[in-house]
Amino acid sequence: MHHILRGLAANPALSPDLVDRLISIADDDIATELACRADLSRAQAIALAERVDESAVQLAYEGRLTTADVDPFVWPDAALALLDQGVGRPEWARLLAADPARERREKLAACPGLPSDVVDTLVADPDVRVVAELALWTTPDVAARLAAHPHAEVRRAVAGNEATPPAVLAALVTGEGLPAARRCLVCDREETPFVHDPQCPRLDCDLPPGASCDGSHESTVHDVREAALRNPATPIEAVVGFVDHPSMLLRWALAARQDLSRQACARLASDPVPGVRADLAENPAIDDALIRALAGDRDPGVRRRVAHHPRVPLDVLTRLARTAKIGSTLLPRIAAASPTEVEELAKSPDPAARMLVAQLRNLPSAIRDRLADDPDAKVVKALAPHPGLGEAQLRAMVDRHGVRVLAKVATNPDAPPALLEEVVRHKPTVQKVFREVARHRAATASALLVCLADRQARAVAARHPALPPPVIVELLADADWQAAEAAAANPSLPPAVLSDLVCQHG
């Protein structure tokens, strides 16, 4: 019955004394739920951390434990969590910089605002993974120092750090002005020349597939360049030459850069790799001519990404809405449409255009009401969750379009209880309706009882506070453990039942 205790731990109706009781018997799973409680007191948080050491980290991130509560010798990982949030004590950082566990030193290296002496200690750490983590997050001056580190893995991390000075990033791309790296992760572990088998059977091997070194650390040097190309702080002059590079990964890294020239964008638009063209298609750097060209790309993934471009022309977007399988999502260009454009789209004779604007959730009431009467089911389906629609409008949608709009009507925040009761009994049924009604705040006991019969909606309905208490109690013994756990978390469980459950299972 462990799942019952886990559900109880999340139940907002649990009294403080019952929370105390659960803390006294908590394991990792129960502690995870308890640590999320909004009503957890400081004393309870400390007691929970003392009961389950691992929960101290979560409690620290949740703000339940502060520097006054944490002893770094007892809860070093909680101390790290506070340092990670910039609220730990400098002496903790000095202590953890000498921690024998490499994982703790590595996490410390990513913390902001470390004292300079701690940074110097981490720079000299014997494990390159710690130094690389520092290089990824450190300040510009330290990143510049580490760019010349003898280990190529550290340089790769420097190349990914957006605080690294631009001139240093350019040097990492070209190699000019920097001494050659002497080691990489590959030659640290294998005799060179070596190429890592992508199907490597060794369970203890963590080298990336295809990692290689012939003495020049070639795969890591490639990774350094890729990281620098993806780094927006790297000067465009240092990377634009890679637009025709044989490496797909380097060209792909370039495609998302927003400082590309028109010529570079045009070259990437003809790249043979669809992923490169897809990243370029969503890049704000491309102009209208290129947007239109990519909207006709042979790859559907590229066309979908064009639809997400913030400046895609509305006529192009309307055409894509008919062919690119965009789905039910509010696109950036529609979210930024002017009132005039919204009006024009809503009046368009093309249902695809009206469907796009129907995704907005702040439509003027006149446009909203007009679209609610639209003859096209796809337009109405897109509009159905819009707040402000009245009961008569929602019912009319169901009457005209039936199962095509039923689930979306059920998501409308203003759907009245009587309508929710009707949609769960609609014939033919739509399975998704049960899940939507089960989580709707206005769902009635009658509607929820119908939802309980659906396998996917059962656990959602079991948590709904409108469910009758006797039914919730029955669900505690349900064969579906997820439904039983949800019932245990239901705030409508009677206090006496809550108390009995904690005592019985605890």
Side-chain angles (χ1 to χ4, degrees), residues 392-472:
Q393 291 172 305
L394 294 171
R395 287 184 180 279
M397 290 178 177
V398 175
D399 292 342
R400 287 197 309 272
H401 303 290
V403 296
R404 290 174 292 180
V405 303
L406 210 62
K408 289 298 184 180
V409 167
T411 68
N412 190 289
D414 299 319
L419 180 58
L420 296 176
E421 291 182 3
E422 291 178 25
V423 298
V424 296
R425 293 181 172 86
H426 189 278
K427 300 297 182 183
T429 60
V430 177
Q431 188 178 46
K432 191 175 180 181
V433 166
F434 301 118
R435 298 195 299 276
E436 299 298 347
V437 172
R439 62 172 62 98
H440 200 290
R441 64 184 181 218
T444 63
S446 176
L448 292 168
L449 289 173
V450 177
C451 295
L452 285 173
D454 181 78
R455 181 179 59 83
Q456 295 184 19
R458 190 172 181 82
V460 182
R463 191 181 287 259
H464 200 293
L467 206 61
V471 176
I472 304 172

Side-chain angles (χ1 to χ4, degrees), residues 58-344:
Q58 183 182 357
L59 290 163
Y61 277 117
E62 294 279 349
R64 304 295 184 186
L65 294 180
T66 67
T67 53
D69 306 316
V70 172
D71 182 340
F73 291 97
V74 177
W75 295 321
D77 294 319
L80 271 172
L82 292 173
L83 285 165
D84 187 38
Q85 297 173 81
V87 294
R89 293 174 175 166
E91 59 267 27
W92 293 358
R94 295 184 180 97
L95 174 69
L96 291 163
D99 194 290
R102 184 265 305 171
E103 292 81 4
R104 289 199 181 109
R105 304 196 310 276
E106 191 172 357
K107 183 166 184 178
L108 176 67
C111 293
L114 295 173
S116 59
D117 59 312
V118 172
V119 171
D120 291 340
T121 299
L122 294 171
V123 165
D125 196 279
D127 194 306
V128 71
R129 290 169 290 187
V130 175
V131 186
E133 190 68 14
L134 178 71
L136 185 60
W137 303 104
T138 195
T139 55
D141 57 330
V142 178
R145 285 168 53 195
L146 291 174
H149 196 279
H151 204 288
E153 188 66 17
V154 175
R155 300 186 185 202
R156 183 198 61 77
V158 172
N161 186 341
E162 294 187 17
T164 301
V168 175
L169 290 167
L172 286 167
V173 173
T174 64
E176 296 176 6
L178 293 175
R182 297 198 295 270
R183 305 293 298 175
C184 71
L185 292 180
V186 179
C187 60
D188 278 350
R189 306 174 193 184
E190 307 289 345
E191 291 187 13
T192 58
F194 178 84
V195 178
H196 187 224
D197 182 356
Q199 308 299 324
C200 178
R202 293 181 295 178
L203 298 178
D204 62 342
C205 181
D206 60 357
L207 285 176
S212 63
C213 181
D214 60 4
S216 65
H217 324 298
E218 63 272 16
S219 67
T220 310
V221 169
H222 178 281
D223 291 347
V224 170
R225 286 177 171 166
E226 182 182 353
L229 264 62
R230 292 190 183 279
N231 193 330
T234 305
I236 187 62
E237 316 84 61
V239 301
V240 71
F242 290 86
V243 71
D244 293 314
H245 197 278
S247 168
M248 170 195 72
L249 293 175
L250 296 186
R251 301 195 310 274
W252 205 331
L254 266 180
R257 290 190 63 109
Q258 297 186 24
D259 52 358
L260 292 174
S261 67
R262 181 178 300 179
Q263 294 79 5
C265 290
R267 298 292 287 273
L268 291 171
S270 61
D271 196 280
V273 178
V276 175
R277 303 196 305 275
D279 273 13
L280 182 71
E282 206 171 347
N283 190 331
I286 64 175
D287 58 21
D288 284 4
L290 207 49
I291 292 173
R292 291 182 180 277
L294 288 168
D297 195 278
R298 62 187 180 276
D299 187 87
V302 175
R303 298 197 300 273
R304 279 194 295 273
R305 296 288 287 277
V306 173
H308 285 83
H309 194 283
R311 291 194 332 276
V312 58
L314 290 178
D315 64 304
V316 174
L317 186 53
T318 300
R319 186 171 72 251
L320 289 169
R322 294 195 295 266
T323 62
K325 296 183 180 179
I326 296 169
S328 56
T329 183
L330 177 60
L331 298 170
R333 179 64 181 87
I334 298 300
S338 69
T340 301
E341 289 173 330
V342 169
E343 179 69 33
E344 290 174 355

Side-chain angles (χ1 to χ4, degrees), residues 4-17:
I4 296 294
L5 290 174
R6 195 165 53 232
L8 288 169
N11 194 314
L14 214 61
S15 63
D17 60 309

